[in-house]
């Protein structure tokens, strides 16, 4: 069976994830949406992104963390067995005919957790290299030691199109007083990348939290330092629901961010707040897997708090048995983002809006 590709097959030297992912093929998207609408089925997109949340543990307790509202009320941490990840996901993606010609990016992240705290993280990175997946890592950097830095650079060498990347949660590090250590780690990682000629890109997303606008005043020095050590991009954003800023404070912070953009040039990006949407098309081209092994539509719903949105478990099934299954189709037909009060990341929101134009 042929599948539609939502992304243009272009090689990109820019490691900024939103620029890479926003190269949408509107013609292919239109054909997939119209066919799916006629057949009352899931649009036949290739799977483009799979996020794995390998552990439920995080070493920080940040007040501004969106995931803190959605973390299960349990004192124990959960981890996804490495054998399950390899056999029921990675090997399945490479060997099952359903995914022939498909090459999703593997994202290591967590709605409320720190992926590099995973006890088998080195083995997981080695598997990404073994199965030649392009990957992304979202981390606060606390567990990023020398050996892991070397392994990440080495594993990114095999990227043959858009590069793999790592994004550092600088705000979490700053408010836990670890940011100077993090800057040293980033500087060392960049040296390793250059030494090994790795394709790895390094991004710094920075959230300006509501409780400390004074942070904004320190960002000029921080931004200069990060640009001096040659990070690839810096992205600023404001809190989103359920945290809402006072309009006057939001305007003040926005003005400050724009000044930083003027100082930093084309390496600085601004993230706009996501807007409501009426239908979720993201689940037809990506998925997220929780520490418990449950498969969810996206990274923003990947928690036991949204258990009703899970349409399978890789602890019990191969991913090929879950993807485009009857339960997946039922979720697509019945899911209402407005009722669930969903929010999207930038790329997913853009994809949803393009799809909605043809639905």
């Amino acid at each position: 069976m042929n599948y539609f590709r939502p992304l243009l097959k272009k090689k990109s030297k820019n490691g900024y994830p939103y620029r890479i992912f926003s190269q949408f093929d509107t013609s292919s998207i239109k054909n997939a949406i119209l066919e799916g609408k006629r057949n009352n089925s899931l649009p036949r997109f290739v799977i483009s992104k799979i996020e794995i949340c390998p552990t439920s543990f995080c070493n920080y307790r940040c007040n501004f963390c969106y995931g803190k509202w959605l973390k299960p009320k349990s004192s124990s941490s959960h981890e996804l067995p490495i054998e399950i990840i390899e056999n029921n996901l990675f090997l399945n993606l490479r060997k099952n005919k359903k995914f022939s010609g498909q090459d999703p990016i593997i994202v290591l992240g967590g709605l409320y957790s720190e992926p590099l705290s995973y006890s088998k993280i080195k083995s997981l990175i080695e598997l990404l290299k073994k199965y030649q997946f392009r990957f992304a890592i979202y981390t606060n950097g606390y567990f990023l030691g020398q050996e892991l830095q070397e392994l990440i650079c080495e594993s990114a060498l095999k990227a043959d199109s858009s590069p793999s990347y790592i994004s550092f949660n600088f705000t979490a590090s700053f408010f836990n007083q670890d940011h100077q250590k993090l800057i040293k780690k980033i500087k060392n990682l960049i040296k390793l990348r250059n030494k090994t000629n790795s394709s790895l890109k390094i991004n710094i997303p920075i959230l300006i939290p509501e409780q400390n606008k004074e942070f904004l005043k320190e960002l000029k020095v921080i931004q200069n330092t990060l640009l001096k050590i040659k990070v690839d991009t810096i992205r600023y954003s404001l809190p989103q629901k359920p945290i809402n800023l006072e309009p006057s404070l939001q305007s003040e912070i926005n003005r400050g961010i724009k000044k930083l953009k003027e100082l930093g040039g084309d390496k600085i990006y601004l993230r706009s707040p996501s807007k409501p949407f009426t239908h979720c098309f993201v689940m037809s081209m990506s998925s997220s897997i929780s520490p418990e092994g449950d498969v969810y539509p996206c990274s923003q719903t990947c928690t036991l708090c949204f258990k009703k949105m899970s349409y399978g478990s890789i602890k019990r099934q191969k991913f090929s048995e879950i993807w485009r299954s009857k339960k997946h189709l039922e979720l697509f037909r019945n899911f209402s983002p407005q009722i669930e009060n969903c929010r999207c990341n930038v790329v997913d929101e853009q994809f949803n809006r393009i799809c909605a134009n043809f639905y």
Side-chain angles (χ1 to χ4, degrees), residues 225-287:
T225 301
L226 292 171
L227 292 177
K228 187 177 180 179
I229 64 175
K230 300 189 182 305
V231 301
D232 293 289
T233 57
I234 300 172
R235 185 210 71 196
Y236 294 109
S237 61
L238 296 176
Q240 301 194 63
K241 63 182 182 182
I243 301 172
N244 295 307
L245 296 181
E246 291 291 333
S248 59
L249 177 57
Q250 182 170 325
S251 296
E252 181 181 348
I253 294 176
N254 273 329
R255 287 193 297 271
I257 292 176
K258 288 179 180 178
K259 289 180 181 178
L260 290 168
K261 166 68 175 172
E262 292 171 1
L263 293 170
D266 61 4
K267 286 195 171 186
I268 309 300
Y269 294 81
L270 312 178
R271 173 179 175 174
S272 301
S274 62
K275 299 176 182 178
F277 54 99
T278 58
H279 202 91
C280 178
F281 298 96
V282 171
M283 71 172 75
S284 64
M285 66 93 159
S286 68
S287 69

Side-chain angles (χ1 to χ4, degrees), residues 111-124:
L111 184 59
Y112 51 81
S113 56
E114 168 50 45
L116 297 191
S117 70
Y118 181 51
S119 64
K120 301 290 186 181
I121 188 60
K122 292 176 183 176
S123 297
L124 182 50

Side-chain angles (χ1 to χ4, degrees), residues 169-266:
N169 184 345
F170 193 88
T171 306
S173 183
F174 181 89
F175 284 98
N176 286 277
Q177 301 181 332
D178 283 332
H179 61 292
Q180 295 298 340
K181 294 178 182 177
L182 178 60
I183 289 173
K184 290 180 180 178
K185 290 180 179 181
I186 295 172
K187 184 177 181 180
N188 186 65
L189 182 63
I190 291 171
K191 287 182 177 179
L192 277 173
R193 177 190 68 179
N194 296 340
K195 181 180 179 181
T196 59
N197 197 30
S198 172
S199 64
L200 185 73
K201 296 295 182 181
I202 296 167
N203 307 306
I204 313 293
I206 298 179
L207 173 74
I208 316 273
E210 61 167 347
Q211 73 269 32
N212 199 330
K213 67 178 181 180
E214 297 300 316
F215 178 41
L216 187 62
K217 297 178 180 178
E218 301 189 45
L219 284 177
K220 181 179 178 181
V221 174
I222 291 171
Q223 177 175 288
N224 287 340
T225 301
L226 292 171
L227 292 177
K228 187 177 180 179
I229 64 175
K230 300 189 182 305
V231 301
D232 293 289
T233 57
I234 300 172
R235 185 210 71 196
Y236 294 109
S237 61
L238 296 176
Q240 301 194 63
K241 63 182 182 182
I243 301 172
N244 295 307
L245 296 181
E246 291 291 333
S248 59
L249 177 57
Q250 182 170 325
S251 296
E252 181 181 348
I253 294 176
N254 273 329
R255 287 193 297 271
I257 292 176
K258 288 179 180 178
K259 289 180 181 178
L260 290 168
K261 166 68 175 172
E262 292 171 1
L263 293 170
D266 61 4

Side-chain angles (χ1 to χ4, degrees), residues 16-260:
Y16 188 61
Y18 304 132
R19 179 172 290 181
I20 291 171
F21 281 129
S22 62
Q23 297 174 344
F24 290 113
D25 186 339
T26 53
S27 176
S28 179
I29 290 173
K30 178 181 179 180
N31 291 333
I33 295 299
L34 292 178
E35 181 196 77
K37 189 175 182 180
R38 285 195 304 270
N39 300 331
N40 194 25
S41 64
L42 273 165
R44 285 191 298 114
F45 289 120
V46 299
I47 184 161
S48 302
K49 177 178 63 175
I50 300 174
E51 178 161 339
I52 303 171
C53 308
T55 177
S56 63
F57 175 77
C58 186
N59 53 305
Y60 291 151
R61 299 293 182 270
C62 302
N63 290 330
F64 49 82
C65 177
Y66 169 71
K68 75 173 184 176
W69 306 90
L70 300 170
K71 186 174 183 178
K73 295 180 180 179
S74 173
S75 58
S76 59
S77 297
H78 299 276
E79 286 202 343
L80 190 55
I82 191 72
E83 298 81 9
I84 294 292
I85 295 174
E86 179 172 18
N87 295 324
N88 288 2
L89 183 62
F90 289 175
L91 186 61
N92 188 239
L93 285 168
R94 290 306 190 213
K95 297 294 184 181
N96 192 281
K97 292 182 179 180
K98 176 184 280 190
F99 304 113
S100 177
Q102 303 186 36
D103 193 25
I105 182 173
I106 304 297
V107 179
L108 304 184
L111 184 59
Y112 51 81
S113 56
E114 168 50 45
L116 297 191
S117 70
Y118 181 51
S119 64
K120 301 290 186 181
I121 188 60
K122 292 176 183 176
S123 297
L124 182 50
I125 301 296
E126 287 171 347
L127 287 178
L128 291 171
K129 178 184 177 183
K130 175 181 176 180
Y131 291 101
Q132 299 185 34
F133 283 110
R134 178 175 170 247
F135 63 86
I137 302 172
Y138 288 85
T139 176
N140 60 42
Y142 185 86
F143 297 96
L144 188 66
Q146 177 71 21
E147 186 178 351
L148 191 53
Q149 290 182 40
E150 293 173 357
L151 185 57
I152 289 171
C153 286
E154 180 183 345
S155 299
L157 285 171
K158 291 185 177 295
D160 59 359
S161 55
S162 298
S164 295
Y165 65 89
I166 182 168
S167 288
F168 290 98
N169 184 345
F170 193 88
T171 306
S173 183
F174 181 89
F175 284 98
N176 286 277
Q177 301 181 332
D178 283 332
H179 61 292
Q180 295 298 340
K181 294 178 182 177
L182 178 60
I183 289 173
K184 290 180 180 178
K185 290 180 179 181
I186 295 172
K187 184 177 181 180
N188 186 65
L189 182 63
I190 291 171
K191 287 182 177 179
L192 277 173
R193 177 190 68 179
N194 296 340
K195 181 180 179 181
T196 59
N197 197 30
S198 172
S199 64
L200 185 73
K201 296 295 182 181
I202 296 167
N203 307 306
I204 313 293
I206 298 179
L207 173 74
I208 316 273
E210 61 167 347
Q211 73 269 32
N212 199 330
K213 67 178 181 180
E214 297 300 316
F215 178 41
L216 187 62
K217 297 178 180 178
E218 301 189 45
L219 284 177
K220 181 179 178 181
V221 174
I222 291 171
Q223 177 175 288
N224 287 340
T225 301
L226 292 171
L227 292 177
K228 187 177 180 179
I229 64 175
K230 300 189 182 305
V231 301
D232 293 289
T233 57
I234 300 172
R235 185 210 71 196
Y236 294 109
S237 61
L238 296 176
Q240 301 194 63
K241 63 182 182 182
I243 301 172
N244 295 307
L245 296 181
E246 291 291 333
S248 59
L249 177 57
Q250 182 170 325
S251 296
E252 181 181 348
I253 294 176
N254 273 329
R255 287 193 297 271
I257 292 176
K258 288 179 180 178
K259 289 180 181 178
L260 290 168

Side-chain angles (χ1 to χ4, degrees), residues 1-15:
M1 180 181 290
N2 293 324
Y3 290 89
F4 297 98
R5 295 186 179 274
L7 303 174
L8 293 170
K9 294 187 71 175
K10 287 184 177 180
K11 293 187 177 183
S12 171
K13 294 182 179 179
N14 189 308

